[in-house]
Amino acid sequence: MKTSEPLLFLQGFLRNPKRVGSLLPSSKFLAKKIVQSVRWDEVRTIAELGPGTGAVTRLMRAELPQSATVFLFERDPKMRNDLKKTYPEFMYHSNASYLVKKMHQEHIHQLDNIICGLPFFNFSREMRQNILSQIHTALRPGGTLVLYQYSLHMRKQLTELFEMEKIQFVPFSFPPVFVYVCHKRQDEGQREAIDLGKI
């Protein structure tokens, strides 16, 4: 029998609270807000970092063009295996720190969109910088990052790296959450490395 999503998420949190970051999966209100923030007509390549039990993934698949290439990065093995059974057409990896490497292995050089729910507040400064660098390098100029967090602690880092389109507060979620919608600057060109020393 398949484990319920709330129970699966709680088990993942208890195994590794710093990696999972929440006791409960994303609410339907949050998932809808995230999916509404993506320009789906521009998406051919996309990655979701920290999909958990697939609350956002489920809505995302309904919007995706048939030919889209999708990467899902989930550290929790039980959650990742459940996602594989439900969405066998997607590509799976465990560590978002190797986002660019895994893309290149599939001959994908840049992404149109990244959806990220990783709990950055729980990460070390070095890990946070590394993953932000991976995200920045992976996105094409003009590409969109939709990132959700439980505080505004990422605002400064994100505005230094990206154009901030908006920050939306989603109160009907537990806990309440902020959704950042950012774009990689068009003048970034094909730059493959960035200096994160000021973060």
Side-chain angles (χ1 to χ4, degrees):
M1 184 166 60
K2 186 176 179 181
T3 306
S4 70
E5 287 189 11
L7 180 57
L8 186 63
F9 215 85
L10 176 60
Q11 289 171 344
F13 178 85
L14 293 175
R15 279 195 300 273
N16 200 332
K18 287 192 173 183
R19 297 288 185 180
V20 175
S22 176
L23 284 167
L24 295 170
S26 300
S27 73
K28 61 181 180 180
F29 302 103
L30 173 58
K32 186 174 181 181
K33 182 68 69 178
I34 291 164
V35 169
Q36 288 174 341
S37 300
V38 177
R39 301 168 182 170
W40 293 104
D41 58 331
E42 300 178 5
V43 173
R44 299 295 175 269
T45 54
I46 186 170
E48 186 181 359
L49 314 183
T53 56
V56 176
T57 316
R58 187 178 304 112
L59 298 183
M60 178 177 78
R61 185 169 69 169
E63 300 288 345
L64 283 168
Q66 277 193 330
S67 59
T69 300
V70 181
F71 296 89
L72 298 183
F73 286 79
E74 175 54 56
R75 288 299 297 264
D76 186 273
K78 287 188 177 181
M79 292 184 192
R80 191 168 63 248
N81 287 335
D82 267 25
L83 288 167
K84 284 181 180 179
K85 292 173 186 175
T86 309
Y87 311 103
E89 69 273 28
F90 297 163
M91 287 179 280
Y92 293 86
H93 303 286
S94 63
N95 193 340
S97 297
Y98 299 101
L99 170 61
V100 174
K101 178 182 178 181
K102 298 302 182 182
M103 286 166 47
H104 289 175
Q105 287 176 351
E106 300 297 334
H107 308 290
I108 301 293
H109 297 290
Q110 290 197 301
L111 300 173
D112 298 310
N113 187 277
I114 295 173
I115 295 172
C116 181
L118 298 177
F120 281 104
F121 186 79
N122 294 341
F123 293 172
S124 67
R125 182 174 180 271
E126 291 74 21
M127 181 182 292
R128 187 163 58 244
Q129 288 178 356
N130 179 47
I131 293 176
L132 285 173
S133 178
Q134 291 284 312
I135 289 171
H136 187 275
T137 301
L139 276 178
R140 64 168 173 80
T144 302
L145 167 64
V146 182
L147 182 142
Y148 53 102
Q149 302 285 292
Y150 296 109
S151 74
L152 291 171
H153 72 283
M154 292 297 294
R155 181 165 53 184
K156 182 176 185 292
Q157 290 96 322
L158 292 171
T159 53
E160 289 180 357
L161 289 171
F162 301 95
E163 291 180 358
M164 183 72 69
E165 178 183 322
K166 58 187 174 181
I167 301 174
Q168 297 177 293
F169 179 60
V170 183
F172 300 112
S173 186
F174 183 81
V177 67
F178 294 91
V179 177
Y180 302 79
V181 182
C182 314
H183 303 286
K184 184 170 178 178
R185 296 181 179 92
Q186 291 283 358
D187 59 4
E188 294 285 354
Q190 299 298 313
R191 188 168 118 188
E192 290 290 328
I194 57 174
D195 178 15
L196 288 169
K198 295 181 180 179
I199 294 178

